[in-house]
Amino acid sequence: MNGSWKLILPVGFVLYSLPLFLRVNGTSDYVIDEEFHIPQGLAFCRKEFDVWDPKITTFPGLYLIALLLNPLNLCTVTSLRMLSLAGAGINILLLYKIRRRILAGSGGNSYAAHEAITMSVLPPLYFFSHLYYTDTLSLTMVLLFYNYWQQEAHLPAAVFGAASVLMRQTNIVWVCMATGMTVLDTLVHQCVRTGRVPKENVRLMGKELWLQLFSSPQLLCNCILSILAKCCFYASIILPFVGFLFINGSIVVGDKSAHEASLHVPQLFYFATFAAGFGISNTIRQFRAAAELIRRNRLLSLLALLLILVVVHLNTEVHPYLLADNRHYTFYIWSRLYGRFWWFRYAMAPVYLLSICVLFCGLRHMPDSFKLMFPLSLFLVLCFQRLLELRYFLVPYILFRLNTRHTRKGYAEWLELGAHLLLNVATFYVYFTKEFYWKNYRTPQRIIW
């Protein structure tokens, strides 16, 4: 059945989405940021490489993919958007393959297929699968990279890692995360191979590994050689990117004024709430464990709660776009709750703490290398973004959800899938029925994620 799922999932996803795609495509020539993406994509599709909109802040990966349409004479708005839908079809296949590998036989192929469908219809992600935005194809490249990295096929992984960075610069963080995990896992593996210390005692958090490593020059040399062999391809991406940061002075290309880096730690709290809210199956299964974790560590939990309150008070950043652009749900969340009631942002602190604990419990089965590198990567990719934008949460959420603790499929998994589908119905209904006009736009504006 494994081979059947590899065909059924992408084909079924595209066929299921096609009528909705055609309806979305007929509503408007440009939807918000497509105002920049589509003209640039059409220019590259026609091989007009001297055309570049200075307001674009990413590398040209999204627009280079438009070159696939040139030999077919399909340089149209519909075809550009169709690239995203095709990317979403590839994504569901990759989600299935990666999740099946992580499950390692637990639950069977149908369970992995169910999980892949659930992740692929994640409401914010599914919505942008119908538009010419970077999000869907950026995720495609990250998943291709992650898929090959899992198989220790480091050369193709590096190729797709570089492609993911071309899509969106912040994807360099996921390349660094995988590289860091490779380094740490190699250290553990090499120490286990010596057999001097029992396997269960060789842990990154334990002293045995480091004592063994630094007391044996031969072991240390073997580790270095093995790391270089595995990570040299990733270094060919990371080192030039560091040079780019040094020369450019920022991770942003083009218009830097609206995307200046600033420390914004509450983004972690927003992400944890997002992940706990959409990852319903993990939240239901880990809620009791998270509550017990808080109960057993009452003093530490109280200190964590106080720290969250201090961070919220001192470091809550509000980007002008969040206050001005009423075409996004985040505008309404902020204006109706966070901005209207001064106490609301503080009242959310217990929710943030519980959400963080739920995420921690969902990943506590993972190797120490993941538990070290994933939180660090989350911090780097989210906490220097001033703008609260749900699209920034998509890749980290998918990487989180792919690695959640697996159990036998039950009502929680069906509830998560059903909630995603119902929320998609609601958001597309709002998109199609709610229209309003801005003074400097002749076409009606609509609300999106």
Side-chain angles (χ1 to χ4, degrees), residues 301-417:
S301 298
L302 180 60
L303 291 174
L305 185 62
L306 291 174
L307 179 61
I308 289 172
L309 288 168
V310 170
V311 169
V312 167
H313 181 72
L314 297 177
N315 194 226
T316 296
E317 297 278 344
V318 185
H319 197 287
Y321 286 1
L322 180 62
L323 301 176
D325 197 338
N326 63 344
R327 298 171 297 181
H328 295 283
Y329 284 110
T330 47
F331 168 87
Y332 298 96
I333 293 171
W334 198 271
S335 62
R336 304 287 170 82
L337 296 172
Y338 285 87
R340 177 173 294 183
F341 306 110
W342 67 266
W343 50 264
F344 184 82
R345 63 185 68 180
Y346 303 105
M348 285 294 291
V351 177
Y352 298 150
L353 178 61
L354 182 60
S355 297
I356 291 169
C357 291
V358 164
L359 267 61
F360 171 79
C361 291
L363 296 174
R364 60 184 170 178
H365 64 289
M366 293 296 289
D368 289 344
S369 59
F370 185 91
K371 288 187 281 190
L372 282 171
M373 294 303 301
F374 184 66
L376 176 61
S377 300
L378 273 182
F379 181 85
L380 291 174
V381 84
L382 295 178
C383 290
F384 295 96
Q385 304 269 8
R386 188 182 176 196
L387 177 62
L388 172 57
E389 171 64 83
L390 298 184
R391 294 188 297 119
Y392 301 157
F393 297 163
L394 296 180
V395 172
Y397 172 81
I398 291 296
L399 292 176
F400 156 75
R401 186 63 181 82
L402 278 170
N403 289 287
T404 50
R405 182 187 296 271
H406 54 270
T407 57
R408 188 166 59 185
K409 184 170 64 176
Y411 78 95
E413 283 72 24
W414 287 107
L415 180 61
E416 183 176 343
L417 176 58

Side-chain angles (χ1 to χ4, degrees), residues 81-96:
R81 287 172 172 166
M82 189 66 76
L83 289 174
S84 290
L85 187 61
I90 296 171
N91 287 348
I92 194 173
L93 174 60
L94 292 168
L95 291 168
Y96 166 72

Side-chain angles (χ1 to χ4, degrees), residues 181-226:
M181 289 174 62
T182 301
V183 170
L184 296 174
D185 289 339
T186 299
L187 295 177
V188 172
H189 178 69
Q190 290 291 336
C191 289
V192 167
R193 284 183 60 185
T194 64
R196 298 176 188 172
V197 180
K199 182 179 179 180
E200 59 273 14
N201 292 341
V202 181
R203 299 181 65 248
L204 288 172
M205 307 298 187
K207 63 180 180 180
E208 290 84 0
L209 182 146
W210 303 103
L211 287 173
Q212 185 180 355
L213 189 63
F214 290 110
S215 64
S216 172
Q218 182 180 358
L219 176 59
L220 184 60
C221 184
N222 289 340
C223 287
I224 293 172
L225 291 175
S226 182

